[in-house]
Amino acid sequence: MSAVFKHELRSYFHSLTTYVFGAFLLAFVGLGAMLYNIQAAVSNFEYVLSFGSLIFVVIVPILTMRVIAEEKKQKTDQLLYSLPISTWQVILGKYCALLIVYLIPMAIISIYPLIFAQFGDVYLLTAYGSILAFFIMGAALLAIGMFISSLTDNQGLAAGIGIAVVLFNYYSISLSEYVSTTAAGTVIALLVLILALYAIIRYLTKNENLAYGVSLVLLAGIMVLYFVDSSALEGLLPQIMTTLSLFERFNAFVNGVFDMTAIVYYLTVIAFFLFLSVQSLEKRRYN
C-alpha cells in the first residue's frame, strides 16, 4: 500500500492537475473570503465555505478522472494486479494520495479564520467545525469520483460523468421542488433507479442472476407497498433527493450546528464508494 501511495503522490506533484486543483480551490475560497469577510464585513467564515463548495463541481472530476482510468488506458493496471498486495490496498493507497493533495490547500485555508480573528470577532469553533466538515465532504466526493474513474478508460468521459453527478447532487434540493410528489411518479422514478442499479451490479459482478434477483426483490417490495399503502410513497422521491445530498448536510455546519449524523453519512459514502471501486478493479482482474 505504501508503494502505491508514494508512487501516486509522486505522480501528482509531477503533473499540472494537482496545482490546478489547489489553485482553483484557494482562488474560489479566497474570492468568497473577500466578498463576505472583507467587503461585507461578515465574521462568519463558514459562509465562505458554503460559497466555495460549488467549486467541487469542477475540481473533483479534474483530480479524480485519471486516478484509475489512465491506468486502464495505458494497461499499467495489469502491473497493479501482479503486486503482492490486495485490491483494497491499491485503492486505499490511491485514495490516501488524493487526500494528501486535497489536504494541502485545506491546511492553507485553515489559517484564514486566525488571520481574520486579528481584525474582528470570528467564531473559531464554528469556523473550524465547518472546515472539518468541508474536508470530509470533499473526501466523500473524491471517493465518488474515484469510483467513476474505475468504470472507464476514458479520462474525458470520467470527468464528464463526474461533473454531472456532483452538479446533480449540488442542485438536488432545488430540483426536488420540481419532482412529482405523487405515488405513481415516485414508482416510475424508483423503477428507473432499479434499472440503473441492475446495470451497475451486472457490470461489476458479471452475474446476471444476482442483478435480476436484487432488482426483482426491490421491484416486488415497491409494488407491494404501492398497492397496500400508496400514501407512503407520496413525496418519497423529493425526500430521498434531500437526504442523499452531501451539500445540504453541510448547511447544518454553516448554521453553527456540529451534526454528527452528517459526519457519519460522509464516512459511509466514502466506505461505500471505495468498496465499489475495489469491486470494479476485481471484476477487471478476473476478466
Side-chain angles (χ1 to χ4, degrees):
M1 175 179 166
S2 61
V4 174
F5 170 74
K6 292 176 183 178
H7 174 269
E8 287 295 310
L9 202 58
R10 191 180 303 113
S11 66
Y12 279 129
F13 286 102
H14 282 84
S15 69
L16 186 62
T17 304
T18 302
Y19 301 99
V20 171
F21 171 85
F24 266 95
L25 181 57
L26 290 173
F28 214 71
V29 173
L31 177 63
M34 182 186 69
L35 293 175
Y36 285 94
N37 297 133
I38 299 177
Q39 289 189 352
V42 175
S43 61
N44 302 78
F45 185 73
E46 54 272 19
Y47 293 169
V48 174
L49 298 178
S50 180
F51 169 81
S53 62
L54 180 61
I55 197 62
F56 282 129
V57 174
V58 177
I59 63 175
V60 166
I62 286 177
L63 185 62
T64 60
M65 65 181 182
R66 59 164 293 278
V67 63
I68 298 177
E70 186 180 27
E71 300 272 10
K72 288 185 175 182
K73 183 177 181 179
Q74 297 181 354
K75 307 299 182 183
T76 53
D77 59 328
Q78 303 301 323
L79 297 175
L80 295 176
Y81 302 140
S82 65
L83 295 175
I85 56 176
S86 66
T87 307
W88 264 110
Q89 290 174 306
V90 171
I91 291 296
L92 287 177
K94 288 178 171 289
Y95 183 67
C96 288
L98 284 173
L99 289 184
I100 294 298
V101 172
Y102 177 39
L103 185 61
I104 293 173
M106 286 302 302
I108 298 174
I109 290 171
S110 65
I111 302 174
Y112 292 1
L114 293 177
I115 296 175
F116 294 138
Q118 303 300 314
F119 304 97
D121 295 327
V122 177
Y123 308 109
L124 292 178
L125 286 178
T126 304
Y128 281 103
S130 299
I131 288 175
L132 175 62
F134 190 82
F135 174 77
I136 300 177
M137 179 178 69
L141 291 170
L142 289 175
I144 295 173
M146 189 173 184
F147 168 64
I148 294 172
S149 178
S150 72
L151 298 177
T152 178
D153 59 0
N154 188 319
Q155 294 184 43
L157 179 61
I161 295 175
I163 289 173
V165 169
V166 179
L167 192 63
F168 177 79
N169 193 269
Y170 185 84
Y171 286 109
S172 60
I173 302 302
S174 300
L175 292 174
S176 66
E177 299 176 0
Y178 302 96
V179 174
S180 174
T181 58
T182 64
T186 300
V187 169
I188 293 172
L190 290 177
L191 289 178
V192 174
L193 292 177
I194 289 175
L195 287 175
L197 181 62
Y198 164 80
I200 292 173
I201 294 175
R202 183 179 177 183
Y203 175 83
L204 292 178
T205 65
K206 290 295 182 182
N207 189 330
E208 287 196 21
N209 292 330
L210 177 62
Y212 275 126
V214 173
S215 301
L216 288 176
V217 169
L218 293 175
L219 179 61
I222 291 171
M223 298 311 296
V224 168
L225 184 60
Y226 178 74
F227 288 109
V228 172
D229 184 15
S230 61
S231 62
L233 294 174
E234 295 178 359
L236 180 62
L237 187 58
Q239 183 180 353
I240 292 175
M241 293 174 67
T242 302
T243 302
L244 294 181
S245 174
L246 296 168
F247 296 93
E248 175 64 18
R249 291 177 179 269
F250 180 67
N251 289 334
F253 297 90
V254 176
N255 294 326
V257 178
F258 192 87
D259 188 0
M260 279 303 301
T261 59
I263 299 295
V264 172
Y265 175 67
Y266 292 148
L267 295 177
T268 302
V269 169
I270 292 171
F272 178 68
F273 281 98
L274 289 182
F275 170 77
L276 291 182
S277 299
V278 169
Q279 298 309 307
S280 180
L281 281 189
E282 285 287 340
K283 170 222 168 221
R284 185 171 174 84
R285 178 202 290 263
Y286 290 117
N287 284 346

